[in-house]
């Protein structure tokens, strides 16, 4: 056998080996498709059933947020759980509001910027998301829904967080 014939024979053998290794049988393909479909279906059911915790969701006893909050100022706090970040704002006109400070896009931290516009803005620096400080509604960027609201009560001894409302829920 000449060198050229041996090289052609080796190349042909190599191609056969590669072709045999890369074949996925119909049974393997079906097993993969069924496994992936089952996983996606299970995940969809879990999301629909509300198994996963959403930031700012849940019940908690009233919590003191601040003793006072001057106009144009904000205070960060955790509510309803220790891992749920929130922000309370006193607008320039005295209106008091609070929201989850976790962006509804990819869970980045939302910041209060009092110096932006007439009434300020809630801003997510990760992807340039902007929320209206009066309503929590999305005014710019990629967030898909408004910020969840934290309900506040102003009492003689301070400002208290007393409950939450999810994005789009009617206010009490």
């Amino acid at each position: 056998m000449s060198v050229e014939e041996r090289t052609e024979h080796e190349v042909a053998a190599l191609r056969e080996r590669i072709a045999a290794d890369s074949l996925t049988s119909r049974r393997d393909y079906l097993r993969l498709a069924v496994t992936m479909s089952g996983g996606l279906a299970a995940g969809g059911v879990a999301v629909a059933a509300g198994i996963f915790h959403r930031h700012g969701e849940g019940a908690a006893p009233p919590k003191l947020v601040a003793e006072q909050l001057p106009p144009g100022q904000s205070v960060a706090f955790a509510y309803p759980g220790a891992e749920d970040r929130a922000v309370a704002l006193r607008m320039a006109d005295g209106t008091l509001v609070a929201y989850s400070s976790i962006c509804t896009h990819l869970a980045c931290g939302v910041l209060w910027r009092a110096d932006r516009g007439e009434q300020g803005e809630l801003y997510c620096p990760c992807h340039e998301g902007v929320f209206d400080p009066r309503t929590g509604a999305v005014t710019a960027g990629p967030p898909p829904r408004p910020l969840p609201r934290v309900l506040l009560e102003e009492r003689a001894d301070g400002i208290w967080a007393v409950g939450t409302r999810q994005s789009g829920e009617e206010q009490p």
Side-chain angles (χ1 to χ4, degrees):
M1 194 182 268
S2 71
V3 175
E4 288 180 5
E5 290 174 342
R6 195 173 348 154
T7 305
E8 287 178 21
H9 180 63
E10 289 173 357
V11 169
L14 182 60
R15 284 188 180 150
E16 283 182 40
R17 218 171 4 154
I18 291 171
D21 288 344
S22 66
L23 287 179
T24 301
S25 70
R26 282 185 246 162
R27 182 173 287 163
D28 291 338
Y29 178 76
L30 183 59
R31 185 179 300 128
L32 179 65
V34 168
T35 301
M36 290 187 69
S37 297
L40 289 171
V45 168
V47 168
I51 291 174
F52 299 111
H53 173 76
R54 286 177 98 179
H55 293 286
E57 185 176 79
K63 178 180 181 176
L64 180 65
V65 172
E67 291 182 12
Q68 60 179 333
L69 193 58
Q73 298 295 310
S74 68
V75 64
F77 62 101
Y79 190 83
E83 71 284 350
D84 295 311
R85 299 182 314 259
V87 61
L89 320 166
R90 172 85 67 181
M91 308 297 288
D93 66 2
T95 304
L96 187 62
V97 294
Y99 302 97
S100 167
S101 63
I102 298 172
C103 184
T104 57
H105 179 228
L106 291 176
C108 293
V110 173
L111 309 170
W112 164 243
R113 299 194 323 185
D115 61 332
R116 300 295 282 230
E118 268 184 43
Q119 50 194 351
E121 69 182 15
L122 291 162
Y123 172 72
C124 177
C126 293
H127 300 103
E128 305 291 321
V130 180
F131 300 90
D132 182 338
R134 294 207 177 270
T135 64
V138 178
T139 58
R145 61 188 175 281
L147 291 171
R149 189 170 203 133
V150 176
L151 305 176
L152 298 177
E153 282 184 8
E154 195 160 10
R155 302 175 182 172
D157 60 343
I159 300 166
W160 291 77
V162 296
T164 62
R165 291 284 180 263
Q166 283 304 316
S167 304
E169 271 188 55
E170 292 297 318
Q171 297 303 315

